[in-house]
Amino acid sequence: MTDFGFTLSKSSTLDLQNVDRERFEQLCKLEKGASVCIGCGSCSATCPAGILSGMSVRKVVLAVQRGQDVRSMLQCCMLCGKCTMVCPRGINTRNLILSICSIYG
Amino acid sequence: MLCTMIYEGKQRIWSEYQKDIPDDRWYYVRSCIRQNFFPASEKMFTEITRNVLGKDIYETPHHTTCGGIAYHCDTIPQETAMTIVARQFALMTEAGYENYCPSCITSFGNYVEILETWREYPELEARIREDLWKACRREFNKPRYLAHSSDLIYRWRNEIAAKATHKLVNGRTGEPLRIVEHIGCHYAKMFPSKGVGGAEYPYVLAGMIESWGGQVVDYPERRHCCGYGFRQYHVKANRGYSMSNTYKKFESMEPFHPDAIITNCPGCPYFLDRWQYVIAEQTGKTYGENGFGIPVLTYEELAGLVLGYDPWDLGLQLHQVAVEPLLDKMGVEYDPSAKYLGLNREDIMRPELPGSIKCF
Amino acid sequence: MAERFEIGFHPFVIPFLAGMVFVLGVCFIKAVIVVSQLDEGDRKKWFRSLIHPNILIKNLVDIILDCLIHVRLWKRNKVLGFMHSSIAFGWFMIILLGHLQVLIYFPEKLSTCYYPIFFDYFIEGGQYTVISKIMDGFLLLILAGIALAVVKRFWSRLFGMRRTTRPTLYNLIGLYSLWAIFPLRFLAEQCVRSGDLSVPLWWAYSIALCTFMTVLPFGRYLHIPAEMLLITFRNAGVGITQPHKGMARVQADSCPNCGVCIDACPMNADPANLKDSTVYLTRQLRRRNQERIREISDKCLLCGKCTSVCQVGVDGPKLRILSRAAKKYRISPDFSNAGAGITVPSAENKVLYFSGCMTSLTPKIGRSVESVLKKAGIDYEWMDRDGGLCCGRPLYTAGRLKEAAELAARNEKQILESGVRVLLVSCPICYREFRERYNLPGIRVVHYADYFCELMEQGLLRFEKSDTCYVFHDPCELGRGCGIYESPRRLISKAAAIAEAPKNRKESVCCGGSLGSLSLDFSRREKITAASLENLYRSRADAIATACPLCFATFARYSDRPVKDLAQIIDEQTKQI
Amino acid sequence: MKGNIVIIGGGIAGMEAAKSLISLGYSPIVVESSTKLGGHVASWYKLFPDMSSAKNLVSRLESEIKGATVLCGTKVISLNRLADGYSLKLSNGSVVNASALLIATGFTLFDAKKKEEYGYGVYDRVITNSDLEAWFSEKKDARVPDEPESVGFVHCVGSRDLKACNAQCSKVCCATAIKQAIEIKERFPYAKVYCFYMDLRLFGKKYEDFYINAQRDYGVQFIRGRVSEVGETLDGRLQIKAEDTLSGKPLKVQLDLLVLMSGIVRNQSIGELSAMAGLETDSDGFLRSIDNEYAVIESNRPGIFYAGACTGPKTVPETVAEARSAALAIHSYLETL
């Protein structure tokens, strides 16, 4: 291959129809609440781990929906339950997190 | 079957974006870069308009750059570009013309933008008049009509069709050729009302294709930039990004199997043509049939082929992507051995051919 | 008195002997397995305890009181207590006295094993001894107990039990054979002289015994031997360390399936949770039904009420936490950088106040604690005013034991570095974790209920009594978890009037907001909260007091009367001295 | 008794219905539990989107229902079904027979104290939307600082929140928050004003203009993130936490005033009324209409009609329109008797 000093950049487009929904569907079976998230960010705002590590349950849920790898996103979770307390949609976020921890490998 | 959308819907939009294009007496200005990229194109424009159609097309050697590239690369302020443009208008005024026709899309966009700016801010126009006077003691009238040279070919497309020796039809199958039309971004995206057919579904090239017997290919990334993007290409570190945009277009048009691409901008044909080679080198992928690329032509080159000019006189040997498959489909006769013979049949030497994309 | 037959044998003793050998053999094997499953250290502890005179005496006393007399059951329900102790103690006495009789009159026959059981058949005139008369008394006692058991079987509500387990086939066989043993023995003894009916009755008696002993290892009656082993384990200090083995197995086997925990379980406010009480956990542990074990374990609120009412002391929450811990997760937390951005104020000679995560969502609590400390003139620092690390209990209860320990270690380090002597805690969840699982040498960890009580006794708080009548809800972790029942009540009675809910102290009903449950989602907790509130409303108090941010937030959501945290009440009713 | 109409509730729904019934030739009786007419609107300062005075609306309506019997400070104690109507016992001791009843009991504002994490009643600088309206009218509220540097509005307090036991949208708070943000900006042009929202639901006529005005002309900043907790700094300012979900980062900001947009929840009296009259309540706690598309003002009982927020959150124009159509429906009902 000729070296031109530049190459094609990887597309940053989210190709929605080719997103792998399998894990999200798996998650919805384990925690039905995963499907009703409205992304308000209450969980992330109140998260004691979020302030220091940038952890965000909202982003994790979105990333699972988008078929992305979330393994590195939950490592600071202390399961303290504050997110469960503030969620306006009543999502059992602790079960959500534990379920994600069990389905990603 | 190609999906061509609801044709009546497009027609309705086209009808809303019509512009007055006078039939004669044009002051023609060339592009800075086209003469290097596809040198026969502008020559062919004057040839067709003057000799085939008998129009009054005036040119002057005093004409300079319009400043558009520098302006879009953020290296000069708009006032500087305006003063340069004012001088061009002064040349036109001095020559006694009122209709201004640039060959370059960026120039066209630049002129439109400046005229619109002056319309909004007359005081700025007054200042530029003053600056121009101070700089070179010239005065100017603003053009009555401004049209891009592709607008003129569009205006005369049916006259050309009437004189055509070849149609955009596959001689073997009798099917119309599938042609992708690519419009330069600065043609109508900034001022949709200034382009034939508007910005979303421009008709300027589509009209030519239809008149000359071809079929327009409508593919999802039709609106996307060719990838040139001035700063993106000019800074070498960004060239991967430039090419990625071109790649995106090719990936999107590939399933439609286009026979050719025509363009009306200086940069677009160049990058759509050359990047096909680089993409083939890097990914091994070609977009035409049998390992060829998709031929990329300027509208003047296409008009030339339709009117029966010799492909090598049209400068088609300077294309990276081989045009022979297109010529074969159209039934254009050509002498393969004459491909690399220049003016006076002087050997301009056959270039080294790449292995990744089929060329002659 | 003389032997009736020369050979001293009749084939009807064979079923009895077979059952006897079988049950002893199985129990022995089970005991060996369980002991071998214990951790090395626990096993050594247990062996040592068996020769330690004090523990030995304690074991004997506990076995007599718990297994024979059923003292705990007497305390809970006298009729049930009588029923159980009449059967257990009566039977034990019959066996004991029967052997004594043989030992006294025919010592050479003791080795046959069956002589004491079928004494009246083999011995002519045996029924006229004093021992026999006493034994007859015990038999009547047992028969009375059996009569009660029959009544209870069909009308359990008469015994104060709303819900009981549905017996399995084994348990039914065991139950009916147990019921049959004593009437059959009674009839056989009565018929021994009249001849004809005697032998068939003795056969029936022996078969009933055999049946009971054969099904014993497979049903609820395994609790009889298992509880004895459990008592020795407990007295030796053996803990639950594995989800289904060792001590956990003994606890599961010791569960008599009485079902007291069903009525106690706060989740049963919603009929959907009826099959998730501890009694069903132990049943599934015996059956090794992993899916149900997981489901029951994950659902529980871990309020600990089942343990507080359990007759044999099955530690439901701990069994569940260890079952949860058995689950493998593919993502593991990494706390190596946790708390890096948090600075803990230096608090030498000061009180260090740790409010915990939840308190930041109930700011009243933290502010009230602070205000009371100020009024009492206590020099303090607030460790996590701007947020801090979690105490680790939520991770621990979720079964992520290693991770919880990591988090605890980080907190320990920060607390020790602050140089503090007194760590004041307002959240009972954190408090229990600090007490049970932290190693903080030289530091006194105290909940504010206890601490404010001390301040009150030292005269540092001046109360102004209000007319409001409060009912105090004992938070699970504070009451059953840490045994703090009196301090909050003393404080409230000083600050206002106090009323008691029908179920209080160690029988307090969980608010439903517990972090203990992993799978109960928000919508399925409302009924639990409603039941808990209903219990509090019955006190007819004007307002509800509690001392846990979770109980507070949960009650505040649904209560029709004001809910206050204890700290808030104290703050409102005290003045600066 | 034929033609006797009792309107329960003297807010704008009840008043507008009374006005329409008077013009149809009836003399309705308006029973209002509080001491004055006008309901929530009477305590509001200005209405969106035209910023007209709420008090003017109420006083105009008051002058237009002179033909009705208005009983303020009066409650319905009991209600009995008669053969051709209803008999009501009122708290003033009287008994009234009515051929038709209009229920216009309106709504209750969510008690913001229940959202403990927002610190209403705990921190000095936290007020609700209705507190702010009162301050706009009377300029008396020690909690509102003289020159606030920054003011925050929290949308959806007690609405769309299962934890507040109300999953529904309150409909009017988004526009109210924007209205109040603009009014704050008019009084304190230099204050920074933030609106924290989950979704902006600006569905009504000209509401979007309102939104654009707030952004462009008043510089109100809209942050897409729900506030999760409020704390206090050492100098008594409020520190709030939210996630700026669009940038994906936790966000904190210090404020001098926080306004909680308390949502619309059902009026307590709905429970008593529905029990007395055998009216059905819907899953959202409000009264259940025959259907929620075509017959919103009709109840499951003959002769009992609904108007306004007793069936769910409503804007002022919706309430007024319902009141008029209820008056007409009562008229046609009485004609058939």
Side-chain angles (χ1 to χ4, degrees), chain C residues 3 9 43 100 106 111 169 185 193 205 229 235 248 275 313 322 344 421 435 513 575:
Chain C
E3 288 191 64
F9 176 78
R43 194 160 52 237
L100 196 66
F106 305 96
S111 60
L169 181 65
R185 175 176 172 137
R193 272 153 301 144
Y205 170 53
L229 189 61
N235 289 340
K275 296 259 175 182
L322 282 161
V344 174
R421 290 277 153 264
R435 263 174 47 138
K575 275 199 152 181

Side-chain angles (χ1 to χ4, degrees), chain D residues 20-40:
Chain D
S20 303
L21 286 168
I22 290 166
S23 68
L24 288 166
Y26 298 93
S27 316
I29 302 167
V30 179
V31 181
E32 164 61 41
S33 65
S34 79
T35 52
K36 60 180 182 54
L37 289 170
H40 287 280

Side-chain angles (χ1 to χ4, degrees), chain B residues 14 45 47 49 70 81 96 102 105 117 129 150 154 170 184 216 238 241-242 276 281 290 301 304 339-340 351:
Chain B
W14 292 334
F45 178 78
E47 166 69 23
T49 50
I105 284 289
T117 310
R129 283 183 186 279
S150 61
Y154 165 79
N170 189 325
V216 178
N238 293 345
Y241 173 67
S242 171
Q276 286 195 63
E281 277 290 319
N290 310 320
E301 288 169 344
K339 183 167 182 179
Y340 296 106

Side-chain angles (χ1 to χ4, degrees), chain A residues 1-2 4-9 13, chain B residues 236 239-241 244 247 275 281-282:
Chain A
M1 187 178 110
T2 315
F4 294 89
F6 55 90
T7 53
L8 284 171
S9 341
T13 305
Chain B
K236 190 175 175 186
R239 268 179 209 171
Y241 173 67
S244 302
Y247 176 73
W275 284 147
E281 277 290 319
Q282 295 197 352

